[in-house]
Amino acid sequence: MTLDAELRAFYTARQKQIPAETREIMRRAGRELADSGQADRALTVGERAPGFALPTATGHPRSLNALLTDGPVVLTFYRGAWCPYCNIALRSLQHHHEAITARGARLVAVSPQIPDESLTLTEKHHLAFDVLSDIGSDTAKQYGLAFDLPDDLAAVYDKLGFDLQRVNAGHPRTLPLPATYVIDRNGVIRWAFADADYTKRAEPADILAALDALL
C-alpha cells in the first residue's frame, strides 16, 4: 500500500468519528489556507536550503551544514506527535529509512514541538532518524512553510486536548505545512513537496527516485 492510500483510508475512517460542526471548521480552515497561497510561497527546486541548528530529541544540536558533509539530506517537516497523519507519514519514512541511507542520504524530521515530545515520538515508533525541535517555527518560516491557525480551528484543537501551548513551548498557533525536501551536498534543493492539505504527504517512492537522480 502506498502512503497516500494509507492516508486516504485513515481520513475516510476518521471523518466518521468527527462531529459535523467540527468537520466544517476543519474544512473551512483548510480551504482558507489553500486559498492563501502559502504552499506557493514555500521554497522549491533550485533554491538554496536555509541552514539551521536544531536540537534532537535528546537535546544534541544538529546543523544542516554538518549533515550535508555526509551526503544529501532528506528534510521533512511535520506538525507534531499529536497529528495522526504525521504519525502515519513518519512510520512510513522509518519503513523506508534503510533505503534512504543506502543511497548515502540522511533523513531528519522537524516539528515545532519540544524535545521531550520528540523523544516520546521517537521511542513510540522506534525511529532511527533524528527528530528535531524547531520551537517558534523559525526554520519553518525560512522555508516558507509556517502559518498561524485560525481562532476556530485552534479552539477545536484545544477541545481535542492537543495542548499545543505546552508541546510547542508557548507557540500554540504556528505550525508548518507538511513538506519534504531532498537537498544535495551543495545545499541546493533538488526535489520538493509542500501541500496546504495536512492529510497529504510526500510519497517515499518519490523521495527515493529523487535521491536516485542525484547519483
Side-chain angles (χ1 to χ4, degrees), residues 36-197:
S36 75
Q38 182 69 53
D40 295 330
R41 293 190 290 275
L43 294 187
T44 191
V45 174
E47 298 186 273
R48 182 160 294 279
F52 58 78
L54 300 172
T56 67
T58 54
H60 299 292
R62 287 285 185 273
S63 72
L64 179 60
N65 285 341
L67 292 167
L68 288 172
T69 61
D70 295 329
V73 168
V74 176
L75 174 65
T76 189
F77 289 84
Y78 69 102
R79 305 197 304 164
W82 51 271
C83 170
Y85 299 92
C86 296
N87 283 274
I88 292 171
L90 290 172
R91 287 198 302 267
S92 181
L93 286 171
Q94 174 58 38
H95 180 71
H96 292 85
H97 183 242
E98 186 174 342
I100 290 171
T101 58
R103 288 160 170 81
R106 289 282 297 273
L107 170 63
V108 291
V110 176
S111 84
Q113 64 186 7
I114 58 178
D116 280 352
E117 290 296 311
S118 298
L119 181 59
T120 300
L121 177 72
T122 298
E123 293 174 342
K124 178 181 179 181
H125 298 308
H126 307 288
L127 303 181
F129 52 89
D130 283 330
V131 179
L132 310 181
S133 292
D134 179 27
I135 295 173
S137 296
D138 290 337
T139 298
K141 291 173 184 175
Q142 292 182 66
Y143 281 77
L145 303 172
F147 70 96
D148 289 336
L149 294 171
D151 292 341
D152 53 358
L153 184 57
V156 165
Y157 285 176
D158 286 342
K159 187 176 181 181
L160 291 172
F162 293 157
D163 195 9
L164 299 187
Q165 178 71 27
R166 180 185 65 81
V167 301
N168 288 359
H171 301 274
R173 300 290 294 278
T174 305
L175 296 176
L177 298 183
T180 300
Y181 295 97
V182 172
I183 305 168
D184 69 18
R185 296 192 68 165
N186 295 318
V188 176
I189 296 171
R190 299 289 296 274
W191 184 86
F193 169 95
D195 202 303
D197 184 348

